[in-house]
Amino acid sequence: MGFAELLDEVGGFGRYQWIHVTLISLPGLLMASQNLLNNFVSGVPTHYCSIPANHSLSNLSHLHQVTCQPDCLPVWQLLKMFIPPDSSGNRLARCRRYANPQWQLLAANSSTNVSHLETEDCIDGWTFEQSDFLATTVSEWSLVCSLRPLKQMIQTIYMGGVLTGAIVYGSLSDRFGRRSVLIWSYLQLAVLGCSSALSPTYSTYCIFRFLSGMAVSGVIINGVSLKVEWITTKTRTVVGTLSSFFFTFGQMVLAGLAYWLRDWRKLQMVVCAPNFLFFAYSWWYSESARWLVLNQRSEDALKSLHRVARINGKSEMIDKITLCPMTPGMRRISICLMAVWFSTSFAYYGLAMDLQKFGVSIYLMQIIFGAVDIPAKLFALGILSYLGRRVSQAVCLFFSAAIIFANIFVPTDMQTLRTTLACLGKAFTSASFTTVYLYTGELYPTVIRQTGMGFVSTMARIGSMAAPAVLILDEVLPALPSLVYGGSAVLAGCFACFLPETLNVPLPDTIEDVEARW
């Protein structure tokens, strides 16, 4: 009797599976927060050079109000004698100030050519406004101007941790089990995530974020495997898609928390502390019976199946369940999956990690970007069920590429249309993520499923690390990042066309199963 039939015998998708899937999916609310946290933790507040130490803006404002009646200028206008305008002429420069106060600029009819006035670097530091953020890593460690690349470096280091975690915890899971590594990952993320909120320096924070990224990878890939290996073939598509909504809602939860707290340390603590709860209840999980059998632990597998049968109200089946040993095999499958994982992640984070460019409130954009995932995942559910995995994967990638390319031709002053297209592109890349997570779990046999998931998902981590770096190319040519993101999606869509179809096919347990089918 195969595992598909065994799961039907112990209750199919019964009470145990409902609880099991819900508890494993719940942390997804905060996994999205971890991946997109840098948008708010390292948000860039409006800033300008601090005025010289021998001047006080409050004293200057008081003196001006005493002498200017009745035609007084607002306080921000007084800054014009210290800070030159930026290249647009509409805002104060962020990285330069006048070498000496320019009192003549306060005159209403001043015709001074400011481009010829002597300026200097922000030798007294910067002043950060608190209209959008009370405190961020950028304002705390002055990651602006010449240090601006360090802001994106935080996200790159975090994604490097996710990449490392996929490799390390993927192989450890196939050796020690899904459940053990998942429990450890919850604890690691809880402890190190909360520790990062207390970081005294930039370097310390980056180290903690790297280690947190490793834990996030352990939670995601082990959660997916432990979930999919306890559900029946006919429910995999619906369960896999619906459980991914936790990630979708998590993006909106992040926007709400960030808007409420507006302090990076508090936000970091709030999104990491719940992992102590996930760690506490994760001991309830049963280890994958598939993995136990393939690692010659048939007795433990029987105990797990008996427990599931009791919880599902199928106690009469306990004495009838027996297992035959299975011969495990090892083989890597599909360079195609690597291309799909890389391009999906590359385009997804390219769109999701640059919210401030749209000229809309960053909190509102985060909610919008999270909300578009809802119809996207419903769309994915529909096409996965009726068109199959291969067509769905290719369609999502080709559509996302087409929309990214279309945005190149929209003028920059048409922000509403550009934002709408960006949201559609984000929706299709999100649908591609939903598809590839399910697809990968169905293509790899149980004996190497976790190693396989970790192996191909490393390309996703490389893609997410490369995505922020590509954004810098817009200084060379504004359309260049979109060309790179879209071209990558087209290439991956072509690779997806060569993958085998897995719709309504039982999960393979050994490499022999894979070879016999495909």
Side-chain angles (χ1 to χ4, degrees), residues 413-425:
D413 57 345
M414 299 178 66
Q415 285 291 350
T416 301
L417 180 56
R418 290 180 61 84
T419 302
T420 301
L421 288 175
C423 288
L424 285 174

Side-chain angles (χ1 to χ4, degrees), residues 291-305:
W291 178 86
L292 289 169
V293 169
L294 294 173
N295 282 271
Q296 288 77 49
R297 294 173 58 182
S298 297
E299 290 301 317
D300 291 333
L302 275 174
K303 291 179 182 177
S304 291
L305 287 167

Side-chain angles (χ1 to χ4, degrees), residues 292-472:
L292 289 169
V293 169
L294 294 173
N295 282 271
Q296 288 77 49
R297 294 173 58 182
S298 297
E299 290 301 317
D300 291 333
L302 275 174
K303 291 179 182 177
S304 291
L305 287 167
H306 291 169
R307 177 175 182 246
V308 172
R310 281 193 298 271
I311 295 174
N312 283 345
K314 295 286 185 177
S315 299
E316 71 278 4
M317 298 302 301
I318 291 179
D319 295 332
K320 300 178 182 180
I321 299 173
T322 59
L323 294 174
C324 297
M326 304 171 71
T327 304
M330 303 247 341
R331 188 181 68 182
R332 293 177 182 176
I333 60 171
S334 194
I335 193 76
C336 298
L337 280 176
M338 295 172 62
V340 171
W341 276 88
F342 174 87
S343 296
T344 299
S345 181
F346 187 56
Y348 182 93
Y349 287 103
L351 292 169
M353 292 307 301
D354 196 21
L355 300 184
Q356 287 185 290
K357 73 178 181 182
F358 293 107
V360 182
S361 167
I362 188 174
Y363 305 103
L364 178 60
M365 279 305 303
Q366 183 63 63
I367 291 177
I368 293 173
F369 263 36
V372 297
D373 280 9
I374 297 176
K377 292 181 185 298
L378 292 175
F379 171 77
L381 173 59
I383 62 175
L384 278 169
S385 300
Y386 293 102
L387 299 181
R389 281 49 163 158
R390 177 171 52 197
V391 174
S392 300
Q393 190 71 74
V395 165
C396 290
L397 287 165
F398 286 140
F399 272 39
S400 62
I403 293 170
I404 291 172
F405 286 145
N407 220 353
I408 296 175
F409 302 100
V410 180
T412 55
D413 57 345
M414 299 178 66
Q415 285 291 350
T416 301
L417 180 56
R418 290 180 61 84
T419 302
T420 301
L421 288 175
C423 288
L424 285 174
K426 163 71 161 50
F428 279 109
T429 56
S430 178
S432 180
F433 253 133
T434 300
T435 303
V436 75
Y437 265 111
L438 177 64
Y439 204 1
T440 303
E442 293 178 339
L443 284 169
Y444 282 107
T446 302
V447 67
I448 59 166
R449 180 168 294 117
Q450 203 60 34
T451 298
M453 288 280 290
F455 175 70
V456 295
S457 66
T458 57
M459 297 305 297
R461 311 315 161 200
I462 294 173
S464 59
M465 291 169 62
V470 173
L471 294 173
I472 301 175

Side-chain angles (χ1 to χ4, degrees), residues 46-66:
T46 300
H47 58 278
Y48 48 83
C49 294
S50 297
I51 65 175
N54 59 338
H55 291 85
S56 169
L57 191 59
S58 59
N59 290 339
L60 288 173
S61 175
H62 176 71
L63 177 63
H64 175 63
Q65 290 176 2
V66 170

Side-chain angles (χ1 to χ4, degrees), residues 269-303:
M269 184 69 73
V270 166
V271 300
C272 293
N275 285 284
F276 285 110
L277 172 63
F278 304 147
F279 166 74
Y281 73 58
S282 62
W283 294 88
W284 179 86
Y285 299 154
S286 291
E287 181 57 90
S288 167
R290 295 173 183 267
W291 178 86
L292 289 169
V293 169
L294 294 173
N295 282 271
Q296 288 77 49
R297 294 173 58 182
S298 297
E299 290 301 317
D300 291 333
L302 275 174
K303 291 179 182 177

